[in-house]
């Protein structure tokens, strides 16, 4: 038993001596963390990258023989619905004849529009508020020598006004007004009178830019007409 203990202690001492002398290798550099990291990283060989270099290195390499993708061409402009008008009957027929050359088929249509035309011009004194007021104003006209007048008593915005004449042209109406001013009548006015008329508007759908340009050129031949988007 004593021999076994003796040889065991002797073996342990020899093992410690061998480790201390380095016969079994050194564990110091492998167990000390800073030294181990230094050997792994090799800081002297590190280099900082710019953002552009980092992005380029992160992008997947292009396939051999591949060409850069080209941007998709922009779609040509299209006009869903364009309207021209309003035309009186005669001008509408001339417009239709010229537009026929565009060969739009069922992409064009015509719709009726309720309009008003000036039929004449009236010289008048604005409404006086009541029959009594209109009668008093008529008495003043008589004193000034004006006998050609008419009290308007129908249901209209000019009820209890006084008409001093209706004329086909604005020039004639203005001439009558000037004559009345010389007689001392200074409250008279000139206003157009309207009558209902039938007019036309034209709508064109799905026009490309070239066709819409041609339509605009045709429209320019008709005064007071212009292209607009459909409502």
């Amino acid at each position: 038993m004593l021999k076994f203990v003796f040889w065991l202690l002797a073996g342990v001492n020899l093992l410690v001596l061998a480790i201390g002398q380095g016969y079994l290798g050194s564990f110091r550099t492998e167990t000390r963390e800073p030294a181990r990291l230094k050997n792994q990283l090799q800081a002297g060989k590190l280099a900082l990258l710019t953002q552009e270099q980092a992005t380029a290195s992160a992008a997947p390499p292009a396939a051999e023989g591949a060409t850069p993708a080209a941007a998709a061409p922009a779609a040509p402009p299209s006009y869903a619905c364009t309207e021209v008008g309003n035309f009186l009957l005669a001008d509408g027929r001339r417009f239709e004849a010229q537009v026929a050359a565009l060969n739009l088929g069922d992409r064009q249509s015509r719709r009726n529009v309720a309009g008003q035309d000036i039929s004449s011009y009236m010289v008048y004194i604005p409404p006086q508020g009541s029959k009594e007021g209109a009668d008093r104003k008529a008495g003043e006209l008589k004193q000034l020598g004006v006998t050609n007048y008419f009290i308007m008593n129908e249901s209209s915005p000019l009820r209890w006004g006084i008409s001093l004449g209706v004329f086909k042209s604005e020039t004639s109406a203005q001439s009558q007004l000037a004559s009345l001013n010389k007689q001392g009548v200074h409250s008279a006015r000139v206003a157009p009178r309207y009558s209902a008329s039938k007019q036309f508007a034209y709508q064109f759908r799905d026009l490309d830019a070239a066709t819409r340009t041609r339509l605009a050129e045709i429209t320019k031949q008709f005064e007071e007409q212009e292209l607009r988007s459909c409502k």
Side-chain angles (χ1 to χ4, degrees), residues 142-158:
K142 287 182 180 180
Q143 293 179 1
L144 294 173
V146 178
T147 58
N148 187 16
Y149 63 85
F150 171 75
I151 296 177
M152 295 178 283
N153 58 8
E154 71 274 9
S155 297
S156 75
L158 294 180

Side-chain angles (χ1 to χ4, degrees), residues 95-146:
F95 180 75
E96 289 180 21
Q98 297 191 43
V99 169
L102 300 180
N103 296 318
L104 296 177
D106 59 2
R107 288 187 294 158
Q108 69 179 41
S109 60
R110 186 182 73 181
R111 66 184 184 89
N112 294 333
V113 179
Q116 289 187 326
D117 290 335
I118 296 176
S119 59
S120 59
Y121 293 85
M122 179 175 60
V123 180
Y124 73 103
I125 294 175
Q128 300 301 300
S130 64
K131 183 178 184 303
E132 291 75 13
D135 287 341
R136 285 196 297 271
K137 179 60 67 174
E140 294 175 8
L141 292 174
K142 287 182 180 180
Q143 293 179 1
L144 294 173
V146 178

Side-chain angles (χ1 to χ4, degrees), residues 59-102:
E64 184 177 354
T67 57
S78 177
Y79 300 89
C81 186
T82 302
E83 185 173 80
V84 185
N86 303 331
F87 292 90
L88 295 175
L89 181 59
D91 286 342
R93 288 176 175 173
R94 290 196 299 114
F95 180 75
E96 289 180 21
Q98 297 191 43
V99 169
L102 300 180

